[in-house]
């Protein structure tokens, strides 16, 4: 800074009045140092600038002969930097308030999503139990419609939780090796009911790719794409597959819907952007699905491309996945038969919400399991084949603590499942055990039954 001002003062003294425009550089240097280094350096730069200007005044006859000009330049050099600094301070205050408001919004969305998930989760479980009570065809149709509406609400909550988690900045990709075909098969199975309700036929093209990526984040991305295809292309076929592109793997989702016009296509990945034309039918959602896909792709170093033609359909590709070449882990077991009996399988259920506890217990018992239900960690326990626990149990106790306690009581690693309305990454980080499945609320009964059956098969207790 001292060198800058000495050089500028020397230039103005030697070259004045021809070098008078160099004065602007003094203002620029003073403001620049304040912006780069803060208020303290702005004050120091201002002192140096005024020292340089008074030195020029004392040593330059032209400045002495034009006192009004000299005073104007000196006052300007004093006022402009501090005015700029005040503007910057106001901008920083406004930016900080905006960030605090955004963080508060994210916290509100996360908390509201979590709190509303509990009753929706309980309603879904009671509906599943109600189906098994010998109802007639008309009642079954009503329950089916309630279930369909509830499914839409569940997807909305998952979207809100995803966006609030991304806003919090805590999502860090965890790379693992997995079969892409198994992942896509799982997504197709999860969307069976939604596709049936919409009259959609989902076709999965088989592949043998093994990739290295964050499995849960990739599931969220593909799930959003498939949900969009089902939502905007009802009664049309959907094709899901993968192919090699430039040495990397791409996941592709194709539908035969109405397509997207070129006017809307550049904006579809913006938050809350929805294509609405006069007379369009109402479609559930708030316009966050593709935004979540785009943001997760950025976190994972992937790209997302969309191509669409009106009245022909839309194609979305997730590009940049790394294929694993070499030995693969043993393949997962074939699709589980959900009709397998569960008699004699002892489940310990821990859930602090009494409505959710009652609904879950009733439903699991209809599948043939014997259930011991608790609202807090059991003090004593004689036996247990499977632990199903909520993650937040109150009193600073978590599902992780519950699982550890029961395993200590029984002196063995009992199989466990965790259900939660919080972010899956946060729960997995606290569990520190990849062998424990994490199921997100609101939970589809078929997901829970499939997981219980899978855990029983894994423990070798299926007869």
């Amino acid at each position: 800074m001292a060198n800058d001002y000495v050089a500028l003062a020397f230039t103005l003294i030697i070259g004045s009045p021809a070098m008078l425009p160099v004065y602007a550089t003094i203002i620029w240097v003073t403001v620049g140092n304040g912006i780069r280094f803060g208020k303290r350096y702005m004050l120091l730069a201002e002192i140096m600038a005024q020292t340089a200007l008074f030195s020029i005044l004392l040593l330059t006859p032209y400045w002495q002969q034009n006192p009004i000009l000299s005073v104007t330049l000196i006052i300007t050099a004093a006022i402009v930097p501090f005015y700029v600094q005040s503007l910057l301070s106001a901008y920083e205050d406004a930016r900080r308030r905006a960030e605090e408001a955004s963080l508060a919004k994210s916290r509100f969305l996360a908390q509201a999503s979590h709190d509303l998930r509990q009753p929706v989760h309980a309603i879904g479980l009671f509906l599943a139990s109600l189906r098994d009570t010998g109802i007639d065809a008309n009642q079954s149709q009503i329950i089916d419609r309630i279930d369909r509406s509830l499914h839409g609400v569940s997807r909305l909550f998952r979207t809100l939780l995803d966006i609030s988690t991304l806003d919090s900045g805590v999502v860090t990709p965890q790379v693992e090796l997995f079969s892409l075909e198994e992942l896509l098969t799982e997504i197709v199975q999860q969307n069976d009911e939604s596709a049936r309700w919409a009259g959609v036929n989902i076709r999965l093209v088989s592949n043998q790719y093994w990739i290295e990526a964050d499995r849960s984040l990739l599931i969220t991305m593909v799930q959003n794409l498939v949900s969009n295809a089902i939502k905007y292309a009802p009664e049309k076929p959907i094709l899901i597959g993968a192919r090699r592109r430039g040495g990397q793997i791409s996941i592709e989702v194709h539908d035969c819907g109405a397509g997207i016009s070129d006017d809307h296509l550049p904006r579809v990945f913006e938050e809350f952007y929805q294509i609405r034309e006069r007379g369009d039918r109402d479609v559930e959602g708030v316009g966050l699905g593709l935004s979540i896909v785009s943001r997760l792709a950025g976190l994972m170093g992937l790209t997302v491309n969309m191509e669409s033609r009106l009245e022909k359909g839309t194609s979305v590709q997730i590009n940049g996945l790394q294929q694993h070449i070499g030995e693969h882990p043993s393949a997962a077991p074939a699709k589980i038969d959900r009709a397998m009996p569960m008699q004699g399988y002892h489940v310990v259920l821990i859930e602090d919400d009494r409505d959710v506890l009652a609904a879950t217990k009733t439903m699991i018992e209809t599948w043939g399991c014997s259930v011991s239900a608790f609202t807090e960690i059991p003090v004593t326990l004689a036996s247990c084949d499977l632990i199903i626990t909520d993650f937040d149990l109150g009193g600073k106790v978590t599902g992780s603590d519950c699982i550890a306690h029961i395993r200590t009581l029984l002196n063995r690693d009992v199989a466990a499942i965790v259900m939660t309305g919080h972010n899956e990454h946060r729960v997995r980080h606290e569990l520190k055990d990849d062998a424990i499945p994490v199921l997100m609320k609101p939970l589809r009964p078929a997901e829970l039954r499939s997981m219980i059956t899978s855990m029983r098969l894994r423990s070798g207790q299926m007869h």
Side-chain angles (χ1 to χ4, degrees), residues 140-269:
S140 178
Q141 188 177 35
I142 293 172
I143 290 175
D144 196 52
R145 289 173 179 171
I146 296 172
D147 196 24
R148 191 182 311 181
S149 299
L150 200 64
H151 188 58
V153 175
S154 300
R155 289 203 182 280
L156 177 60
F157 287 153
R158 292 198 179 191
T159 298
L160 291 177
L161 183 62
D162 287 340
I163 203 70
S164 64
T165 303
L166 286 170
D167 284 343
S168 69
V170 300
V171 179
T172 303
Q174 304 295 322
V175 177
E176 58 183 298
L177 175 64
F178 56 90
S179 165
L180 185 55
E181 179 161 14
E182 289 176 11
L183 180 142
L184 296 179
T185 300
E186 179 181 332
I187 292 173
V188 171
Q189 291 173 5
Q190 289 175 358
N191 287 275
D192 276 347
E193 282 186 298
S194 299
R196 178 174 58 83
W197 291 332
V200 170
N201 176 37
I202 302 179
R203 179 189 166 202
L204 176 62
V205 179
S206 180
N207 69 82
Q208 301 299 319
Y209 300 127
W210 283 75
I211 61 174
E212 295 176 327
D214 187 306
R215 191 177 191 278
S216 61
L217 294 186
L218 191 59
I219 285 178
T220 300
M221 293 174 68
V222 181
Q223 176 64 58
N224 279 330
L225 296 182
V226 174
S227 296
N228 264 15
I230 293 173
K231 186 164 51 178
Y232 291 105
E235 301 181 359
K236 304 283 186 177
I238 294 173
L239 179 66
I240 305 172
R243 68 173 68 185
R244 193 192 308 275
R245 289 178 181 268
Q248 296 176 319
I249 304 302
S250 295
I251 298 173
E252 301 184 3
V253 178
H254 304 270
D255 69 57
C256 298
I260 303 170
S261 70
D262 292 340
D263 294 338
H264 293 293
L265 206 55
R267 300 190 60 192
V268 292
F269 291 101

Side-chain angles (χ1 to χ4, degrees), residues 158-463:
R158 292 198 179 191
T159 298
L160 291 177
L161 183 62
D162 287 340
I163 203 70
S164 64
T165 303
L166 286 170
D167 284 343
S168 69
V170 300
V171 179
T172 303
Q174 304 295 322
V175 177
E176 58 183 298
L177 175 64
F178 56 90
S179 165
L180 185 55
E181 179 161 14
E182 289 176 11
L183 180 142
L184 296 179
T185 300
E186 179 181 332
I187 292 173
V188 171
Q189 291 173 5
Q190 289 175 358
N191 287 275
D192 276 347
E193 282 186 298
S194 299
R196 178 174 58 83
W197 291 332
V200 170
N201 176 37
I202 302 179
R203 179 189 166 202
L204 176 62
V205 179
S206 180
N207 69 82
Q208 301 299 319
Y209 300 127
W210 283 75
I211 61 174
E212 295 176 327
D214 187 306
R215 191 177 191 278
S216 61
L217 294 186
L218 191 59
I219 285 178
T220 300
M221 293 174 68
V222 181
Q223 176 64 58
N224 279 330
L225 296 182
V226 174
S227 296
N228 264 15
I230 293 173
K231 186 164 51 178
Y232 291 105
E235 301 181 359
K236 304 283 186 177
I238 294 173
L239 179 66
I240 305 172
R243 68 173 68 185
R244 193 192 308 275
R245 289 178 181 268
Q248 296 176 319
I249 304 302
S250 295
I251 298 173
E252 301 184 3
V253 178
H254 304 270
D255 69 57
C256 298
I260 303 170
S261 70
D262 292 340
D263 294 338
H264 293 293
L265 206 55
R267 300 190 60 192
V268 292
F269 291 101
E270 295 178 9
E271 286 188 4
F272 303 107
Y273 186 79
Q274 291 182 295
I275 300 172
R276 285 282 187 267
E277 302 290 354
R278 187 172 181 272
D280 281 353
R281 66 184 179 89
D282 290 333
V283 178
E284 67 179 35
V286 292
L288 287 172
L290 289 178
S291 172
I292 290 172
V293 172
S294 179
R295 291 176 65 175
L296 289 177
L299 279 175
M300 298 171 67
L302 308 175
T303 59
V304 182
N305 296 328
M306 176 180 285
E307 301 170 0
S308 189
R309 295 174 60 193
L310 289 176
E311 306 306 326
K312 297 293 184 181
T314 302
S315 172
V316 186
Q317 303 93 34
I318 300 173
N319 303 312
L321 292 164
Q322 299 298 320
Q323 182 181 7
H324 177 79
I325 306 297
E327 293 187 5
H328 304 146
S330 300
K335 184 177 178 180
I336 297 166
D337 181 2
R338 294 175 183 171
M340 286 180 174
M342 298 188 196
Q343 281 76 14
Y345 199 54
H346 184 198
V347 175
V348 171
L349 178 65
I350 307 96
E351 167 65 66
D352 62 329
D353 187 305
R354 294 185 180 276
D355 287 337
V356 175
L357 182 71
T360 310
K361 180 178 186 292
T362 301
M363 184 181 65
I364 296 176
E365 285 178 338
T366 63
W367 298 338
C369 298
S370 62
V371 181
S372 299
F374 303 90
T375 56
E376 56 187 20
I377 296 179
V379 178
T380 60
L381 199 63
S383 66
C384 171
D385 296 318
L386 175 66
I387 306 164
I388 301 178
T389 177
D390 187 25
F391 185 71
D392 289 320
L393 298 173
K396 298 183 179 180
V397 177
T398 69
S400 180
D401 302 324
C402 178
I403 293 168
H405 175 74
I406 293 176
R407 286 177 171 178
T408 300
L409 279 179
L410 301 179
N411 196 29
R412 62 187 178 88
D413 284 343
V414 184
I417 298 172
V418 171
M419 298 188 296
T420 183
H422 289 295
N423 173 254
E424 182 180 349
H425 278 72
R426 172 202 155 189
V427 174
R428 286 198 179 281
H429 177 73
E430 295 198 30
L431 284 173
K432 296 182 175 62
D433 187 347
D434 293 335
I436 299 176
V438 177
L439 300 179
M440 301 299 296
K441 296 178 182 178
L443 182 66
R444 306 292 294 171
E447 290 180 64
L448 182 59
R449 178 163 187 163
S450 177
M451 185 56 67
I452 293 174
T453 309
S454 174
M455 300 300 284
R456 190 172 186 185
L457 279 171
R458 194 178 302 171
S459 62
Q461 295 181 1
M462 181 63 72
H463 301 294

